Amino acid sequence: MKVNGKDFRTVCMENNEVKLINQLLLPHKFEIHTCKNHIETAEAIKKMIVRGAGAIGATAAYGVAQAALESDEDNYKDYIKKSVETLQKTRPTAQNLFTGINYVYNSIKDSDFNEIQKIAVEKANEFADYDAYACKKIGGHGNSLIKDDCKILTHCNAGWLAFVDWGSALSPIFMAHRAGKNIFVFADETRPRNQGSLLTAWELGQEKVPHGIIADNAAGYYLNKGEINMVITGADRIAANGDAANKIGTYEKAVLAKENNIPFYIAAPTTTFDLGTEDGSKIPIEERNPDEVLSISGIRIAPKESSAKNPAFDITPAKYIAGIITEKGIVKADKEEIKRLFEQ
Ligand code: MRU
């Protein structure tokens, strides 16, 4: 996607270094962050310099490739295995992180030292390229659901910053806009990290998509007034039965959409599905630092003696989801349909 008219990828690897768009500085500053080794790459995921399921998946895949490049003949198996553990521990919820790590690790774990480096880099690039390809396809499928004059609500950021390119939930929106449809996007601000007001709004602005930021609490008001025609969000992990983990606050938007007869869609590539997890109740939910709730931009707003709870994700049960937009087409949030998707 373009930033001030120039093409950028959210994450890539050049000369053994992982290059990331520093998402902590947006929208006020656009800067590329460099990770010289897999430890720095893991840190960038942990500190949310890079964030969003697809983006951290590709970054972690590159992290395993870096570990292969850093290793030497005497210790390469142990070294790479340890790097996998380090990268896996960075964040617990997004399935793409684990898919990306496994994709590279499984391709080298039984190989000889003289071939692992080449294979690891090739596989990491392949994984990142697939992410960009899948999201573009999601855009095409999702665009078919968007009518002219459509008003769409989205939550958090599932645009191209959250993937390698295009994004999941925003990809259909970018495509509809480029196709000349008249659309308007309501972007939830998404407290406490404000991915909606900082990142989604910035991406929509770069593409000149008409949009307005709303406080998270305002979504119900607009859904009830009939001012929103559809909801599209991303997902961080989708269980075998179609229950979906996404940014905290998504569940309540889905319930309110159903209550008001407005379709609620999830957009996610197949790399977000976790068929080994039966339903949403088994998806690990990241609990983040309470300071994110107690403070705004580093300034404490809550009383000194108050504590806070800060779950980063919630689960939307499959029954609230009108469909899941994947790169292979739009499927029902249903165990059998999801199973068939992986048999294609
Ligand atoms: O905590 P984050 O910013 O890494 O959260 C991930 C997300 O951006 C959202 O949950 C998103 O809607 C799905 S991932 C594209």
Side-chain angles (χ1 to χ4, degrees):
M1 300 296 279
K2 292 198 190 307
V3 179
N4 299 328
K6 197 173 165 220
D7 271 317
F8 276 95
R9 266 199 168 198
T10 313
V11 47
C12 63
M13 190 156 101
E14 281 170 17
N15 303 324
N16 305 353
E17 294 178 338
V18 176
K19 307 267 182 189
L20 308 164
I21 294 172
N22 188 335
Q23 299 189 34
L24 297 179
L25 304 178
L26 287 170
H28 304 294
K29 201 169 177 193
F30 184 85
E31 202 174 273
I32 301 298
H33 177 86
T34 300
C35 311
K36 293 197 185 66
N37 53 51
H38 84 272
I39 300 285
E40 289 186 9
T41 299
E43 276 301 295
I45 298 172
K46 215 172 186 168
K47 290 185 178 151
M48 290 176 77
I49 291 168
V50 60
R51 43 138 309 282
I56 64 175
T59 303
Y62 282 126
V64 181
Q66 280 180 310
L69 293 162
E70 292 156 20
S71 67
D72 55 50
E73 193 157 10
D74 299 334
N75 70 351
Y76 74 100
K77 287 213 164 148
D78 287 346
Y79 188 87
I80 295 168
K81 193 148 188 293
K82 204 158 160 249
S83 80
V84 163
E85 284 158 16
T86 304
L87 289 157
Q88 280 174 335
K89 278 190 208 136
T90 51
R91 297 197 66 191
T93 304
Q95 177 61 22
N96 307 58
L97 180 93
F98 303 95
T99 313
I101 292 170
N102 291 340
Y103 190 78
V104 179
Y105 183 58
N106 290 338
S107 70
I108 55 172
K109 68 178 179 359
D110 299 320
S111 305
D112 292 335
F113 180 70
N114 60 8
E115 39 183 34
I116 53 159
Q117 299 179 332
K118 186 169 173 284
I119 301 174
V121 174
E122 269 171 19
K123 288 288 167 183
N125 278 325
E126 205 171 282
F127 188 77
D129 286 346
Y130 186 78
D131 193 82
Y133 158 84
C135 287
K136 193 170 180 191
K137 284 274 180 199
I138 286 172
H141 296 306
N143 181 16
S144 69
L145 298 168
I146 301 176
K147 300 196 178 73
D148 203 20
D149 293 328
C150 193
K151 297 197 183 72
I152 306 159
L153 173 71
T154 192
H155 189 69
C156 195
N157 175 258
W160 67 273
L161 289 165
F163 283 86
V164 175
D165 205 5
W166 283 97
S168 54
L170 291 199
S171 184
I173 289 169
F174 293 140
M175 296 256 181
H177 178 69
R178 286 188 184 188
K181 291 180 194 172
N182 178 34
I183 56 169
F184 184 86
V185 179
F186 289 82
D188 287 336
E189 64 175 347
T190 322
R191 275 284 290 152
R193 296 290 298 225
N194 293 307
Q195 288 94 334
S197 55
L198 301 179
L199 306 175
T200 300
W202 180 75
E203 288 181 328
L204 292 169
Q206 289 292 321
E207 277 283 312
K208 302 197 175 15
V209 179
H211 65 278
I213 299 164
I214 56 170
D216 296 321
N217 298 337
Y221 168 78
Y222 286 111
L223 286 162
N224 182 254
K225 272 180 48 149
E227 290 196 23
I228 291 170
N229 308 110
M230 70 191 295
V231 186
I232 315 181
T233 76
D236 293 270
R237 192 186 293 222
I238 302 173
N241 72 340
D243 292 351
N246 194 50
K247 183 54 59 196
I248 192 76
T250 304
Y251 167 53
E252 60 190 48
K253 308 299 178 281
V255 175
L256 284 167
K258 182 117 182 156
E259 167 69 17
N260 290 286
N261 292 318
I262 292 155
F264 173 93
Y265 289 96
I266 291 275
T270 48
T271 42
T272 303
F273 287 73
D274 174 10
L275 299 191
T277 293
E278 216 180 313
D279 61 54
S281 68
K282 318 262 177 356
I283 296 177
I285 299 294
E286 178 178 7
E287 186 71 35
R288 295 190 57 82
N289 192 330
D291 286 347
E292 291 181 351
V293 175
L294 298 168
S295 304
I296 291 183
S297 302
I299 296 166
R300 175 94 182 189
I301 51 157
K304 253 206 309 236
E305 52 290 345
S306 294
S307 63
K309 290 195 174 292
N310 189 13
F313 303 96
D314 60 23
I315 306 293
T316 298
K319 67 177 177 183
Y320 293 109
I321 302 169
I324 306 176
I325 310 164
T326 77
E327 73 273 30
K328 296 184 182 180
I330 302 167
V331 295
K332 282 202 194 111
D334 161 89
K335 194 173 173 179
E336 288 312 310
E337 277 218 23
I338 290 173
K339 206 169 138 212
R340 275 199 292 278
L341 188 69
F342 284 84
E343 286 161 2
Q344 277 177 38

